[in-house]
């Protein structure tokens, strides 16, 4: 008998990779908000924020192909595309953030931001939220508690609960830096996801993080806004999640959606911080900031502007949120609905097992969503930004069917 794709994957890739869904997805094509399986089944993608402007957007594909056919080198040669991209990206940031460095992944961006923060402050201590995820490198795994108890946090890392209100969060962050100081660890950074997505999506109220940033700065730490999830218009009101909170971080990291599926990521910083870092260290990321990456990044920014995707995220997100609130009012197993724009979290009051069954029920009905939160009891909804009103209605209808038709508890 021939080996199944599942067995082959296990044999060749080993056990650390996890597949989503009891019935694994095997798409062969992507188009806008749709993933298409080999048998032609179309699945509504409300999970993937990486293809920010939609799967296989023709303008992104065209920009990539055109630049790949002309030249693909690196940041050790002069090339206008990377400068054009830096300029366009930085135009979305408030002063004094006015320089960009390019990487391939969000992890590399956070890793670089951490190195810069440590260089500038001379400290090593970092404060993160209790179920944060910031990346795959050894340094970031040590400050990503969502990886679980099997991955130890670093001795220079302290956690604070995800924010419920600005005052408590500010006090918690101050207390965490005090605890680091008491242990003889000098501060380097407060590092947070501006929507607290892996913690379970905690976006409100806008301004939530301002006091905590002040606490960090009083302690001598830099503020790193991790925009890998919230960035590039997803909140529906601002290009960046930090702007929604009315703060200006010291360092901004972004990845996933920048390249709509291609490895484009960046650190945006204040020139005086990069001057200190650059004086002590050189930085070269072989693939980061290549002409092809820059062409892709520029095309993504063009599509967001030309298709009005930030406003679309606001409109579709508001409609979806209203539908989800209506469902929560009728189905007792749902709890709070939180979110900003097209990043929504729906608490499943009935618990993690029911949440997992709801995700599977939606998958069987042709809709992809995920889970987040420390207890994995929050439904995570973050579709490509081209998600429209009809898609929002379809998602809510399918969720209603799953809640009514399946035994969740
Ligand atoms: N930060 C956050 C908030 C993330 O969600 C992720 C990825 N899930 C990362 C950093 C790491 O990005 P990457 O997977 O591109 O390395």
């Amino acid at each position: 008998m021939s080996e199944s794709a599942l067995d082959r994957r296990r044999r060749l890739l080993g056990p650390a990779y996890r597949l989503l869904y009891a019935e694994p997805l095997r798409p062969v094509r992507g188009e806008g908000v749709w993933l298409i399986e080999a048998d032609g089944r179309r699945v509504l993608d409300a999970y993937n924020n990486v293809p920010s402007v939609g799967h296989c957007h023709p303008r992104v594909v065209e920009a990539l192909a055109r630049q790949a056919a002309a030249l693909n080198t690196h940041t050790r040669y002069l090339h206008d595309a990377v400068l054009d991209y830096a300029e366009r990206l930085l135009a979305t940031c408030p002063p004094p953030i006015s320089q960009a460095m390019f990487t391939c992944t969000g992890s590399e961006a956070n890793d670089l931001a951490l190195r810069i923060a440590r260089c500038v402050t001379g400290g090593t201590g970092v404060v993160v939220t209790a179920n944060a995820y910031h990346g795959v490198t050894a340094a970031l795994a040590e400050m990503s508690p969502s990886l679980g108890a099997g991955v130890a946090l670093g001795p220079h890392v302290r956690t604070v609960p995800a924010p419920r209100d600005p005052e408590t969060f500010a006090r918690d962050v101050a207390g965490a830096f005090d605890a680091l100081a008491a242990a003889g660890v000098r501060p380097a950074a407060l590092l947070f996801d501006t929507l607290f997505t892996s913690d379970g999506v905690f976006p409100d109220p806008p301004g939530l993080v301002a006091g905590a940033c002040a606490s960090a700065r009083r302690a001598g730490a830099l503020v790193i806004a991790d925009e890998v999830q919230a960035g590039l218009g997803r909140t529906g009101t601002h290009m960046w999640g930090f702007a929604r909170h009315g703060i200006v971080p010291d360092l901004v990291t972004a990845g996933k959606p920048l390249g709509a599926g291609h490895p484009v990521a960046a650190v945006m910083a204040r020139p005086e911080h990069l001057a200190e870092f650059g004086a002590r260290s050189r930085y070269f990321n072989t693939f980061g900031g290549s002409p092809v990456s820059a062409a892709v990044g520029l095309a993504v920014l063009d599509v967001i502007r030309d298709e009005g995707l930030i406003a679309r995220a606001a409109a579709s997100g508001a409609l979806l949120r209203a539908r989800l609130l209506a469902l929560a009012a009728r189905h007792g197993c749902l709890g709070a609905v939180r979110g900003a724009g097209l990043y929504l979290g729906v608490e499943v009051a009935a618990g993690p097992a029911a949440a997992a069954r709801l995700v599977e029920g939606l998958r069987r009905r042709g809709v992809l969503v995920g889970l987040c939160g420390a207890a994995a009891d929050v439904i995570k909804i973050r579709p490509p930004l081209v998600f429209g009103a009809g898609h929002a209605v379809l998602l809510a209808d399918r969720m209603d069917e799953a809640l009514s038709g399946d035994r969740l508890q």
Side-chain angles (χ1 to χ4, degrees), residues 105-107 110 133-135 193 226 228-229 256:
T105 67
S107 298
N110 278 335
Y133 179 77
H134 293 294
D193 163 353
D226 180 336
V228 170
Q229 293 285 334
K256 287 185 192 284

Side-chain angles (χ1 to χ4, degrees), residues 106-108 110-111 114 118 126 128-159 191 226:
S107 298
E108 288 179 350
N110 278 335
D111 202 82
L114 190 64
R118 286 179 168 166
V126 176
V128 295
T129 52
N131 200 51
Y133 179 77
H134 293 294
V136 296
T137 68
L140 293 166
E142 284 193 335
M143 50 191 76
S144 290
S146 78
L147 290 173
V151 181
L153 295 183
H156 50 275
V157 177
R158 293 293 182 278
T159 63
L191 169 61
D226 180 336

Side-chain angles (χ1 to χ4, degrees), residues 1 43 61 302 355:
M1 208 174 74
V43 179
V61 174
D302 286 345

